[in-house]
Amino acid sequence: MKIAVLADIHGNMTALQAVLDYLEKEKVTHFIIAGDHISDCPRPKEVLQTISGLNGWFIKGNREAYVLETIDDTATDWYAHDQLASVIWTRDQLDAKCIDFIKNLSEQASISIEGCDKIRVVHGSPDNMYEHLYEHKADRNVEIMRQMEEQVLICAHTHVPWTTHVEGKLIVNPGALGVSFNEESAAEFAILKWEDKAWKAELKRIKYDISELERHFENSGLFEAAGIWPRLIVESLKSGANRNIYFIKRAVENASNQGYTEYKYIPNEVWKLTEEEWVPIDIYRTI
């Protein structure tokens, strides 16, 4: 048996379609998708419509949680925060069926397939959707795997593909399909194969047309609606470096320099200052 493991699509239908075309040729018909299906890229509705028709197991990521928070929390003026403009734009593209789909997603799943070892699927970690798991955090990985009854853990969220064995069990992060940080500008995913009475993971990359994706950005209105954030996404995809994280770090520094100490979202004047001073050059490739 083979299962495609996808995560962090982030509304990138161009990348998703390229991966689905490849998987169809490989006759892979089952899917695990570990959250962050939407936000940041310009075709969230198409992504949700597509994955909802696939045969498999899907969970919620933090991006779905953000979108649902803007729907459920009516006391907050979500339009007042420049930092959230991309999330709000994403929400406004979704119809009622899409909203129902993400509302009905669980935060994690335990998969039982007859004759195979059980699989746990999370976005961050089994303890927290927002936690970042990495291969080099060996002590934390041991702690998690000792607590799990399943033999395989699928995690995501970091946009870093890796796989390792811990305590005789398998951990797989397939990387980011939609917003990946590699110099090939390629969509990342994994394939699980049940062979010799064990799950084995193969990390994959598939190149796709970044120019086509950029045209979708331009035609969607996302650039105009969300300012620098979607442009940073495009920069990141082209360069293989996470420009968005660098921008946030710089904005936090600017907020501190201006005397801000407590805030949930970066103040708009700080966001605008950081946007004005941003220089999209290759010096950030290694950050």
Side-chain angles (χ1 to χ4, degrees):
M1 182 177 189
K2 294 193 291 187
I3 303 175
V5 182
L6 318 180
D8 293 288
I9 301 169
H10 285 272
N12 186 344
M13 188 64 210
T14 307
L16 177 58
Q17 190 59 61
V19 171
L20 293 178
D21 290 345
Y22 168 83
L23 293 170
E24 183 178 10
K25 293 177 183 176
E26 295 295 311
K27 296 181 169 40
V28 178
T29 58
H30 288 75
F31 294 82
I32 292 172
I33 309 184
D36 277 11
H37 317 299
I38 55 175
S39 182
D40 295 328
C41 292
R43 299 170 70 188
K45 182 177 179 181
E46 292 94 325
V47 166
L48 291 180
Q49 290 173 333
T50 299
I51 67 173
S52 65
L54 298 177
N55 182 20
W57 304 267
F58 321 118
I59 64 165
K60 184 184 302 178
N62 58 287
R63 292 295 180 173
E64 287 75 51
Y66 293 160
V67 168
L68 293 176
E69 186 179 358
T70 71
I71 295 171
D72 296 336
D73 179 6
T74 57
T76 299
D77 182 3
W78 297 102
Y79 291 94
H81 304 283
D82 291 348
Q83 184 179 355
L84 299 178
S86 182
V87 174
I88 297 301
W89 183 91
T90 295
R91 182 201 65 189
D92 291 347
Q93 308 311 303
L94 304 181
D95 59 19
K97 189 173 182 179
C98 288
I99 297 297
D100 286 343
F101 177 75
I102 62 174
K103 278 187 174 181
N104 289 323
L105 294 173
S106 60
E107 291 191 4
Q108 52 187 284
S110 182
I111 300 171
S112 297
I113 300 171
E114 187 175 356
C116 302
D117 289 340
K118 294 178 70 175
I119 302 168
R120 174 76 67 91
V121 185
V122 302
H123 185 66
S125 79
D127 296 330
N128 190 326
M129 178 193 295
Y130 298 90
E131 183 175 1
H132 294 81
L133 297 182
Y134 293 100
E135 185 175 7
H136 66 270
K137 292 186 176 181
D139 291 345
R140 178 59 176 145
N141 295 336
V142 168
E143 178 185 15
I144 286 173
M145 300 311 277
R146 284 179 176 173
Q147 295 173 354
M148 274 180 33
E149 67 175 64
E150 295 89 351
Q151 295 299 308
V152 178
L153 175 66
I154 304 296
C155 59
H157 192 44
T158 64
H159 295 220
V160 178
W162 58 277
T163 179
T164 191
H165 284 85
V166 176
E167 296 290 298
K169 298 181 178 182
L170 177 64
I171 306 177
V172 181
N173 187 321
L177 188 148
V179 183
S180 53
F181 308 126
N182 58 72
E183 293 186 5
E184 299 175 61
S185 298
E188 299 168 341
F189 63 103
I191 294 179
L192 275 183
K193 297 181 182 179
W194 180 254
E195 293 179 345
D196 300 324
K197 298 182 179 180
W199 287 111
K200 299 178 181 178
E202 180 182 4
L203 298 176
K204 306 285 289 185
R205 284 179 179 173
I206 295 294
K207 290 186 70 66
Y208 64 96
D209 190 345
I210 297 292
S211 297
E212 177 189 332
L213 173 63
E214 192 167 11
R215 287 194 295 272
H216 283 292
F217 270 100
E218 292 169 349
N219 295 332
S220 68
L222 181 52
F223 282 155
E224 291 78 13
I228 194 170
W229 190 260
R231 298 184 185 279
L232 292 170
I233 293 291
V234 175
E235 281 186 32
S236 299
L237 289 168
K238 287 181 173 180
S239 69
N242 190 341
R243 305 292 176 87
N244 298 73
I245 288 296
Y246 178 82
F247 182 88
I248 291 293
K249 289 179 179 179
R250 181 59 183 156
V252 169
E253 291 174 3
N254 284 337
S256 178
N257 292 339
Q258 294 198 12
Y260 290 98
T261 57
E262 294 185 9
Y263 51 88
K264 184 175 182 180
Y265 303 110
I266 293 168
N268 285 349
E269 59 266 32
V270 174
W271 188 267
K272 290 173 182 175
L273 168 65
T274 311
E275 183 171 356
E276 288 170 359
E277 69 183 15
W278 178 257
V279 180
I281 56 178
D282 284 342
I283 188 174
Y284 305 123
R285 178 179 292 277
T286 59
I287 295 173

